[in-house]
Amino acid sequence: MHRPLRMKSRKLWARLLAILAALLVAAVAGVALAFPSLASTFCPGCYGLTELKESVYTEDGLSGAQQAQVRQTVQQARRLVADFYGTRRSSPTVLACLTESCYKRIGGGGERGIAVLNRSVLLSPKGIDPVIAAHEMSHVELHTRLTSGAEVPQWFDEGLAVVVADDPRYLAPKPASETALKTAPETAPQTAPQTTSDRCLVSPSAPLPQTLDEWLNAASKDVMTYAKSACQVSRWLAANNGRTGLLTLIDDLNAGHPFPLSANPA
C-alpha cells in the first residue's frame, strides 16, 4: 500500500535534485560570464590557459622567448617582494597573457595587471614586467599577512606596492649605495638594505584616497596619485625603521589596533 507513495517521494526528490543541479550549473555559468577574472583564477584551463610552471599559467602557442620572459618576470617579481619583506608568505596564481584577446577573455580591462581576491594576479601584455607583477603581488602579500582581515587605507596599500616594486615612474632613483641588484636564488635569505633617502617625486598636498572607490576616482583623474601615495609611504617607512616598522604595523593591525594617524597625510 505504501509503495506508490515511496515511488512518488523518490520521484519528487529526483526532481528536486535535478532542479538544484540545474540551478548550480546556471549559477556557475553566471559567475563565469559575469566575473571571468574570478572564474579564470579557479579554472585557468577553462579559459585556454596552460600551466607554464607551478602556479603560473599562460596562453598556448607562445614562443620559447615569450615563455622565458614570463618565467623571468614572475621570478624577479617574487624576489622583489621577498627582498622587501625579508621573506614571502603569499604564492598567488599568476595568469599571464601576451595577447589582448587572451587578457580580455580572462576578464582583464585596460590596466596592466590586477590582483584578484588576494589569491591571484592577472597580467596583460603590457604587464609582463617585474615592476608591474611585483606591484600586484605586493597587494596579495600585504593582505596575506593581515591575517585578522584588518584593512589599511587604499593609498597606503597602493603606495606600498609602488615602493615594493621600486617603480621608477613614481619614485626618484635610489642613491648609488642602494641600487645594487641581488642575483641570489629566490630561496636564499634576503637582506635588502632599508631605504633612508627621500625618494618623493610629488608630495601629497591634500588627504589621499581612503577607499577603493575614492582611489579609482582619484587615480583616473591624476595618475600621479600613485607617486603621492608612494611618497607618503616611503617617508613613513624611513621614519619607522623600514621593514621592521611595517611588520610591527601589521602585527598591531592584526591585534586590533587602528591604523596610526601618524601615517595619514595631512
Side-chain angles (χ1 to χ4, degrees):
M1 290 176 60
H2 299 290
R3 196 169 178 183
L5 183 60
R6 282 201 209 97
M7 292 181 65
K8 288 182 180 179
S9 178
R10 289 174 182 172
K11 289 181 179 180
L12 178 60
W13 276 109
R15 289 176 182 174
L16 287 173
L17 289 173
I19 292 172
L20 288 173
L23 289 173
L24 179 60
V25 170
V28 172
V31 170
L33 289 173
F35 305 103
S37 60
L38 172 60
S40 61
T41 67
F42 289 96
C43 184
C46 299
Y47 290 80
L49 302 182
T50 56
E51 191 171 33
L52 179 64
K53 57 182 293 187
E54 185 177 2
S55 300
V56 179
Y57 294 82
T58 61
E59 57 195 301
D60 290 329
L62 298 186
S63 67
Q66 289 174 318
Q67 291 179 0
Q69 181 186 9
V70 172
R71 288 193 186 95
Q72 291 169 7
T73 292
V74 173
Q75 181 179 356
Q76 292 173 20
R78 288 173 174 170
R79 185 179 299 148
L80 283 168
V81 174
D83 282 354
F84 186 86
Y85 280 94
T87 184
R88 185 170 54 86
R89 293 186 182 177
S90 63
S91 184
T93 299
V94 177
L95 275 58
C97 286
L98 278 85
T99 62
E100 292 295 343
S101 59
C102 166
Y103 194 58
K104 183 177 180 180
R105 187 167 62 250
I106 63 175
E111 69 282 334
R112 293 173 181 265
I114 189 172
V116 179
L117 285 184
N118 300 317
R119 58 164 284 130
S120 62
V121 167
L122 276 58
L123 298 176
S124 76
K126 296 177 292 185
I128 310 300
D129 177 278
V131 169
I132 303 302
H135 181 110
E136 302 308 330
M137 289 182 185
S138 170
H139 293 313
V140 180
E141 181 70 21
L142 175 62
H143 289 274
T144 297
R145 289 173 178 268
L146 289 171
T147 54
S148 67
E151 296 289 340
V152 298
Q154 195 65 31
W155 67 263
F156 189 88
D157 198 344
E158 295 291 347
L160 180 62
V162 172
V163 173
V164 171
D166 195 21
D167 194 329
R169 296 173 299 172
Y170 308 123
L171 288 170
K174 289 181 181 179
S177 60
E178 297 177 8
T179 56
L181 296 177
K182 294 194 177 303
T183 58
E186 183 182 335
T187 54
Q190 303 295 332
T191 55
Q194 300 301 305
T195 300
T196 57
S197 57
D198 191 326
R199 302 183 61 198
C200 294
L201 291 178
V202 183
S203 297
S205 57
L208 292 167
Q210 297 284 320
T211 68
L212 178 59
D213 287 342
E214 290 174 353
W215 176 269
L216 294 174
N217 181 56
S220 66
K221 296 176 180 177
D222 178 13
V223 71
M224 294 310 286
T225 303
Y226 284 95
K228 296 172 185 177
S229 298
C231 173
Q232 186 68 19
V233 170
S234 65
R235 286 176 175 173
W236 183 88
L237 289 169
N240 289 273
N241 201 23
R243 175 195 300 155
T244 301
L246 176 63
L247 296 179
T248 298
L249 171 62
I250 292 172
D251 288 341
D252 288 346
L253 293 172
N254 284 332
H257 298 293
F259 188 79
L261 291 177
S262 61
N264 283 301

